[in-house]
Amino acid sequence: MKLLLITAVEEFEKDVINILKNSGVRSFSYQSVKGFKNDKNEMNNWFGKDDIAIDSLLFTVFSEYNCVDSIYKNINEFNSNQETVSQIHIVTINSEDENFK
């Protein structure tokens, strides 16, 4: 099992949901967050412009290993087709212990 954290601007909400559903994810949660970038050199484009809070979403996904490659592939494809600076960002964390049975 892997834990995926995905951030995106609110405008990408339906896109992220479709990517997750089409990648075989069975369940996920998400919430509104304010994205803020404090330094241009760190985490390039993780959130929008400096000193401006951006309305964003944070998706929390516990996924089987077989879904992760598809999620990354679909997010990378989505990002490569964007003409805007905003992109969908994803990080994966291995889960050693789990109570999902």
Side-chain angles (χ1 to χ4, degrees), residues 39-92:
D39 184 2
K40 292 180 196 177
N41 297 324
E42 291 185 25
M43 296 173 57
N44 191 22
N45 292 328
W46 186 262
F47 290 110
K49 299 179 180 181
D50 292 337
D51 302 322
I52 299 174
I54 304 298
D55 292 329
S56 302
L57 299 170
L58 173 64
F59 290 80
T60 305
V61 181
F62 286 98
S63 179
E64 300 295 329
Y65 290 98
N66 58 347
C67 296
V68 175
D69 288 340
S70 179
I71 295 167
Y72 269 89
K73 177 183 171 278
N74 291 324
I75 286 176
N76 288 333
E77 184 177 312
F78 177 87
N79 286 340
S80 68
N81 292 323
Q82 288 307 303
E83 295 179 8
T84 63
V85 175
S86 293
Q87 295 196 348
I88 299 171
H89 299 279
I90 183 171
V91 64
T92 306

Side-chain angles (χ1 to χ4, degrees), residues 1 26 64 96-101:
M1 179 83 40
R26 291 188 231 165
E64 300 295 329
E96 293 180 22
D97 295 325
E98 59 187 64
N99 66 352
F100 301 103
K101 301 290 181 213

